[in-house]
């Protein structure tokens, strides 16, 4: 104890021998200190978990148990001792050089390590615009187009590599071609852009695959939106509203549900402006929305915006993608999001394999991450370390 009070200085190795506990500093996400010493520890009251500062490049990271925390693999040429480190992302299906050239490819990469994706295996059928969720070990890919609209549910183990995809024999219930999000138990599928736009939300239990069950309804009918989730909430974002006279109207609505409940969605707030065909992902605190189109696919934007999932309110500007993006795909772990740009120019759009990233806790523009295996669009993906885990 210091003379005249004050906090003692701890020099060298310090052993805590109390059988009880110690209380670290705490505060919400907005009050995080910046550019502090690597290894700084605090309790995040928004997320309800400890977090550690990993340096100015990575920033704050939640301390959470994950069964596959050291899975990773498949990105670039890291040192051998890092080749299995990190969070694995998979991005699957898509459209190749023409609208009739569909792919069954599954790519994978490590979110923690910059570099190019590698081939994971193949879907059972070439398809695009599937809804994809993961509980940390199992990936479920449901719905999509072949180009006919389908409601099939397929699954595979994210730690394996190869053509391990299996048809569960079950189907989505009310949705097809959906956007999807999940926690560690349930997957939700909504904002369908299938044979008819709907407001239905379906859900499954990821480890006990069966035909999807009715969860409830969104606040309105729409398609071509996006979805993201924290450990407790699922958010369904934007899209096209076809209930208005032509042309379809890009809307700015954000809905949310509590994932482990059932019932209708509640209004969360609004995007900066109405958009559709964007990518979205999250950690346990922030949801990130990338790119899209504000005028029924006539133009593309490169804007990134974010929401704080535990609150309600409107989205806030985050920064910009390196280039415009439509029908993109975004995946994340607890600290970083990676966006596949998909298509870049006006009209039907040329397809690209470009990946870019930014740290979720910061704001600013993205940087180059690497490339997917091929130039494709309309892909979907997930990771074993996203916001719901």
């Amino acid at each position: 104890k210091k003379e005249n009070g004050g906090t003692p200085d701890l020099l060298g190795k310090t052993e805590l021998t109390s059988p009880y506990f110690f209380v670290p500093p705490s505060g919400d996400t907005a009050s995080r200190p910046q550019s502090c010493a690597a290894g700084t520890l605090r309790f995040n009251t928004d997320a309800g978990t400890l977090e550690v500062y990993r340096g100015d490049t990575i920033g704050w990271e939640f301390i959470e148990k994950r069964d596959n925390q050291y899975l990773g693999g498949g990105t670039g040429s890291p040192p051998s001792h890092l080749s299995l480190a990190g969070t694995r992302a998979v991005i699957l299906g898509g459209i190749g050089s023409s609208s009739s050239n569909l792919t069954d490819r599954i790519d994978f990469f490590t979110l923690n390590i910059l570099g190019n994706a590698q081939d994971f295996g193949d879907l059972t059928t070439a398809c695009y615009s599937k809804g994809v969720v993961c509980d940390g070990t199992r990936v479920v890919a449901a719905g999509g187009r072949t180009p006919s609209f389908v409601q099939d549910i397929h699954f595979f183990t994210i730690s394996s590599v190869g053509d391990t995809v299996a048809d569960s024999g079950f189907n989505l219930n009310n949705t097809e071609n959906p956007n999807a999000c999940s926690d560690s138990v349930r997957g939700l599928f909504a904002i369908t852009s299938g044979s008819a736009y709907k407001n239905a939300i379906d859900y499954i239990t990821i480890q006990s695959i069966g035909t999807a069950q009715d969860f409830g309804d969104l606040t309105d009918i729409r398609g071509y939106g996006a979805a993201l989730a924290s450990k407790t909430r699922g958010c369904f974002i934007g899209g096209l509203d076809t209930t208005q006279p032509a042309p379809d109207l890009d809307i700015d609505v954000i809905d949310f549900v509590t994932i482990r409940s059932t019932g209708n969605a509640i209004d969360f707030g609004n995007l900066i402006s109405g958009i559709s065909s964007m990518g979205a992902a999250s950690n346990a605190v922030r949801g990130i929305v990338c790119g899209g189109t504000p005028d029924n696919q006539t133009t593309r934007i490169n804007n990134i915006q974010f929401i704080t999932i535990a609150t309600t309110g409107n989205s806030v500007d985050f920064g910009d993608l390196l280039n415009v993006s439509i029908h993109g795909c975004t995946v994340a772990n607890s600290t970083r999001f990676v966006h596949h740009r998909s298509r870049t120019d006006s009209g039907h759009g040329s397809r690209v394999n470009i990946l870019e990233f930014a740290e979720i806790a910061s704001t600013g523009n993205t940087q180059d991450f690497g490339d997917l295996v091929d130039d494709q669009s309309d892909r979907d993906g997930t990771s074993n370390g996203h916001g719901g885990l």
Side-chain angles (χ1 to χ4, degrees):
K1 182 176 180 180
K2 278 190 172 181
E3 293 184 20
N4 302 318
T7 304
D9 295 324
L10 303 179
L11 302 177
K13 181 179 179 181
T14 302
E15 182 178 357
L16 302 177
T17 59
S18 169
Y20 302 106
F21 57 85
F22 78 99
V23 180
S26 65
D28 60 16
T29 302
S31 63
R32 282 171 167 167
Q34 300 299 318
S35 299
C36 48
T40 298
L41 189 71
R42 73 193 291 268
F43 183 80
N44 188 304
T45 55
D46 284 336
T49 188
L50 287 170
E51 59 184 357
V52 61
Y53 193 75
R54 295 186 56 196
D56 293 345
T57 300
I58 298 176
W60 289 97
E61 181 176 78
F62 297 126
I63 300 174
E64 300 176 283
K65 177 184 178 296
R66 298 192 195 101
D67 292 337
N68 292 309
Q69 185 167 345
Y70 302 107
L71 176 60
T75 304
S77 301
S80 59
H81 71 283
L82 291 178
S83 61
L84 295 178
T87 304
R88 175 174 288 183
V90 291
I91 293 181
L92 52 83
I95 303 174
S97 57
S98 69
S99 58
S100 61
N101 182 17
L102 307 186
T103 181
D104 58 6
R105 181 187 298 281
I106 307 170
D107 293 353
F108 78 106
F109 57 89
T110 305
L111 281 152
N112 308 65
I113 306 171
L114 304 187
N116 297 335
Q118 296 183 32
D119 180 48
F120 181 97
D122 296 323
L123 297 168
T124 55
T125 305
C127 192
Y128 66 98
S129 295
K130 301 185 77 67
V132 188
V133 297
C134 180
D135 65 356
T137 58
R138 173 177 284 180
V139 175
V140 176
R145 300 189 65 174
T146 60
S148 300
F149 295 106
V150 297
Q151 295 179 292
D152 301 342
I153 299 175
H154 296 82
F155 68 95
F156 59 93
T157 302
I158 197 169
S159 61
S160 64
V161 176
D163 301 335
T164 56
V165 178
D167 187 337
S168 69
F170 300 101
N171 297 313
L172 294 173
N173 183 16
N174 297 305
T175 63
E176 52 195 21
N177 204 25
N179 298 120
C181 60
S182 71
D183 67 0
S184 59
V185 175
R186 277 186 175 182
L188 305 185
F189 303 86
I191 313 188
T192 186
S193 51
S195 54
Y197 293 178
K198 301 173 184 177
N199 64 346
I201 308 171
D202 286 356
Y203 79 93
I204 61 168
T205 301
I206 296 173
Q207 286 295 327
S208 56
I209 298 294
T211 294
Q213 303 298 308
D214 181 60
F215 183 98
D217 294 326
L218 299 172
T219 58
D220 59 359
I221 296 171
R222 59 191 193 270
Y224 291 101
L228 55 88
S230 68
K231 297 171 181 294
T232 57
R233 282 184 173 180
C235 297
F236 299 96
I237 299 170
L240 279 174
D241 180 357
T242 62
T243 63
Q244 305 295 321
D248 297 345
L249 176 69
D250 292 278
I251 60 176
D252 60 4
V253 172
I254 306 172
D255 291 350
F256 78 96
V257 298
T258 301
I259 296 174
R260 298 287 179 92
S261 68
T262 56
N264 295 337
I266 301 171
D267 180 63
F268 181 98
N270 300 103
L271 295 168
I272 294 171
S273 62
I275 54 172
S276 62
S277 301
M278 59 288 210
S282 60
N283 63 11
V285 177
R286 277 187 174 181
I288 304 293
V289 181
C290 298
T293 173
D295 52 6
N296 198 14
Q297 304 191 31
T298 302
T299 60
R300 291 89 166 91
I301 60 174
N302 67 339
N303 174 252
I304 309 168
Q305 47 195 303
F306 75 92
I307 59 173
T308 301
I309 303 174
T311 66
T312 56
N314 298 337
S315 66
V316 178
D317 183 63
F318 182 99
D320 294 321
L321 299 169
L322 292 172
N323 206 332
V324 296
S325 172
I326 186 174
H327 295 299
C329 169
T330 311
V331 294
N333 62 12
S334 62
T335 60
R336 171 180 290 178
F337 70 89
V338 176
H339 179 71
H340 171 226
R341 197 181 297 165
S342 189
R343 305 183 198 177
T344 61
D345 56 13
S346 60
H348 194 60
S350 58
R351 297 170 175 90
V352 296
N353 64 350
I354 297 168
L355 299 172
E356 47 197 88
F357 79 99
E359 305 305 324
I360 296 175
S362 66
T363 55
N365 300 337
T366 54
Q367 303 174 59
D368 182 64
F369 182 92
D371 296 323
L372 292 174
V373 175
D374 292 318
D375 294 339
Q376 291 164 345
S377 70
D378 298 78
R379 310 195 76 192
D380 293 277
T382 187
S383 80
N384 66 323
H386 59 84
L389 303 180

